[in-house]
Amino acid sequence: MRNAVFLKTSECNASSTVSFTRVSWSFRPFSLSMTASPPIYALPISQRPSTPWTRKFLALAFFIAFNGGCLMLNFTQFMFLLPLRILPFKWSRALYDEGIRYTKGAFGCLLILMCQWFSPTKFIITFETEGKGAFTREEIDEIVVRDKKGNVVSLDLPTKFVCISNHQVYADWWYAWCLLYYLGEGVHRYIYITLKKSLQWVPVVGWGMQFFNFIFLARSWASDRVQLATALSTLGRAAEREDNPFVFLLYPEGTLVSKDTRPISRKFAEKMGINDMTNTLLPRSMGLLFSLRSLSPRVQGLKLIDLTMCYPGIPPLGYGQSYYTLRSMFFDGVAPPALHIHLRMFDVAKDVPIGDLTGSNPAAAPETSPNKHAVEVEIPEIERESFDLWLRELWQEKDESITRWLETGKFSEASPPAIEIPLKLKRTRDYFDAFSFFLPAAAGYVWGRMRG
């Protein structure tokens, strides 16, 4: 999230070269050619031509629009919603919760609008039909919702799930939030993520994330494990009780693939006597396992949706941040021509080895006393090892599918035709929502009527 505030550029690998590549992402993303020059998005940021002055005006417009939207959202939270939380009434707390969901959805609309105006791209979505988490052709036909013209308008997927993904660039969370906008109606208003505890007091964005009820962790597993389990249990029970959507976004790799993290993953693989990944990092299973064990007893039919995200222009063994940063996409205007997303889905209770939870009490959060941890937190070693192996095998399939996509343009040989979703807002009112217009307008209307 830090990059979302300051939009800093990560260091680029100045020694990177793409002179041997020809990009054609619709068929073979990287095939040898000595004559065709690569498009600008396939050049490392350090090798791209300087930004023209006309684009700098658009960069300024993005800065004003994005930060203005964030300020308006934060103003709405402080001025119109915080007083409702202070009042000791059930109706005021219900209005507060609904208002917070509105502002969370507004932020999701703002993210899409910034792409639409300043960094246009689209989603190219495919579904797994062979390996783990596969969909049947009949399920895919039911999931993909089209309008009368045949355009895809939404994906009718379950609305209570944990979402995991590989992690290449900081924009991954941005695009994942945008994707939720197209899942049913209003799912982007019910997303939760974990953040570093140090970010919760960052002006505007940090304050807003506190209002969103995101989970701030100290990055010390000894203290974080109970806090994570308790927070997710509370959120899961509330979603089930109110029959609301629920999405928890998590990146099992924990960080980006980079020249600094690649050797760490390789060293750990050697220590454990296992194979390292090629395009991803070895996943860390503990946070995901605790999350699923905390949510599964409290959210009926909880699903695990796995995204494999790939960006055209990043060569094999290339580092994503050398080609795409928030700054290069929104200030320089070099967006990926499309974001390719491959979907898998699992029923957590049936398909994922999260262990024995028969001793869990769904009506209560895990015990926070240091000597009385619930079964969600005290996990037998054999159950940890089983889940770790399952997740590592899933990530191995993901890693192989990325290699296949780089070579052939397909994540799976048996994948049905891809569907395309332009990244833009669907309704006129969503443009107003992006700047939190309706809640202050409604408050102003009510105030005017009361004074009149």
Side-chain angles (χ1 to χ4, degrees), residues 113-178:
L113 188 59
M114 294 302 98
C115 293
Q116 185 175 338
W117 282 355
F118 303 104
S119 189
T121 187
K122 57 188 175 183
F123 292 142
I124 304 293
I125 297 175
T126 54
F127 298 85
E128 179 64 32
T129 58
E130 290 183 319
K132 289 183 173 67
F135 297 83
T136 66
R137 299 302 177 103
E138 293 74 16
E139 288 174 334
I140 296 172
D141 290 339
E142 292 178 358
I143 288 169
V144 179
V145 180
R146 301 178 183 270
D147 61 17
K148 295 180 179 179
K149 297 180 180 179
N151 299 316
V152 178
V153 293
S154 67
L155 301 177
D156 189 15
L157 287 163
T159 59
K160 292 185 175 70
F161 60 91
V162 174
C163 182
I164 59 175
S165 176
N166 60 312
H167 203 8
Q168 295 185 81
V169 302
Y170 285 114
D172 287 338
W173 69 267
W174 187 301
Y175 287 129
W177 199 330
C178 291

Side-chain angles (χ1 to χ4, degrees), residues 2-4 7-14 16 41 43-48 167-175 255-261 311 313-315 317-329 332 334:
R2 178 171 51 200
N3 292 69
L7 297 170
K8 292 183 177 178
T9 306
S10 300
E11 289 187 8
C12 298
N13 184 357
S16 300
Y41 62 82
L43 290 172
I45 296 172
S46 60
Q47 298 179 18
R48 293 174 186 172
H167 203 8
Q168 295 185 81
V169 302
Y170 285 114
D172 287 338
W173 69 267
W174 187 301
Y175 287 129
T255 187
L256 301 177
V257 181
S258 70
K259 59 181 175 57
D260 297 320
T261 59
Y311 296 76
I314 303 175
L317 304 181
Y319 299 127
Q321 282 295 108
S322 296
Y323 296 83
Y324 296 106
T325 65
L326 291 169
R327 180 186 181 92
S328 71
M329 290 190 294
D332 301 337
V334 183

Side-chain angles (χ1 to χ4, degrees), residues 332-353:
D332 301 337
V334 183
L339 180 61
H340 295 252
I341 303 176
H342 191 62
L343 295 179
R344 300 171 184 255
M345 186 170 69
F346 305 86
D347 186 300
V348 173
K350 298 177 182 178
D351 304 330
V352 185

Side-chain angles (χ1 to χ4, degrees), residues 173-228:
W173 69 267
W174 187 301
Y175 287 129
W177 199 330
C178 291
L179 179 63
L180 298 181
Y181 174 81
Y182 300 98
L183 305 189
E185 289 293 332
V187 177
H188 62 299
R189 303 168 62 195
Y190 297 88
I191 182 175
Y192 298 92
I193 61 176
T194 60
L195 297 167
K196 292 180 181 179
K197 201 168 187 176
S198 59
L199 297 177
Q200 64 181 328
W201 298 112
V202 172
V204 184
V205 173
W207 301 335
M209 299 307 157
Q210 287 192 61
F211 279 110
F212 289 165
N213 214 9
F214 286 174
I215 303 169
F216 293 91
L217 300 177
R219 299 299 172 94
S220 170
W221 190 241
S223 60
D224 286 344
R225 61 176 189 159
V226 176
Q227 179 182 348
L228 177 64

Side-chain angles (χ1 to χ4, degrees), residues 23-31 41 122-126 166 168 279 308-317 324 336-342 397-413 415 418:
V23 177
S24 178
W25 53 267
S26 59
F27 295 98
R28 295 179 61 87
F30 290 91
S31 56
Y41 62 82
K122 57 188 175 183
F123 292 142
I124 304 293
I125 297 175
T126 54
N166 60 312
Q168 295 185 81
N279 307 291
T308 300
M309 304 174 70
C310 286
Y311 296 76
I314 303 175
L317 304 181
Y324 296 106
L339 180 61
H340 295 252
I341 303 176
H342 191 62
E397 285 193 15
K398 180 189 294 289
D399 194 60
E400 292 170 359
S401 72
I402 294 175
T403 298
R404 188 181 300 111
W405 182 83
L406 288 167
E407 294 174 350
T408 69
K410 294 182 178 181
F411 289 101
S412 173
E413 291 298 333
S415 292

Side-chain angles (χ1 to χ4, degrees), residues 96-108:
Y96 169 82
D97 290 340
E98 184 59 32
I100 290 300
R101 287 193 286 267
Y102 171 80
T103 58
K104 191 181 289 187
F107 188 68

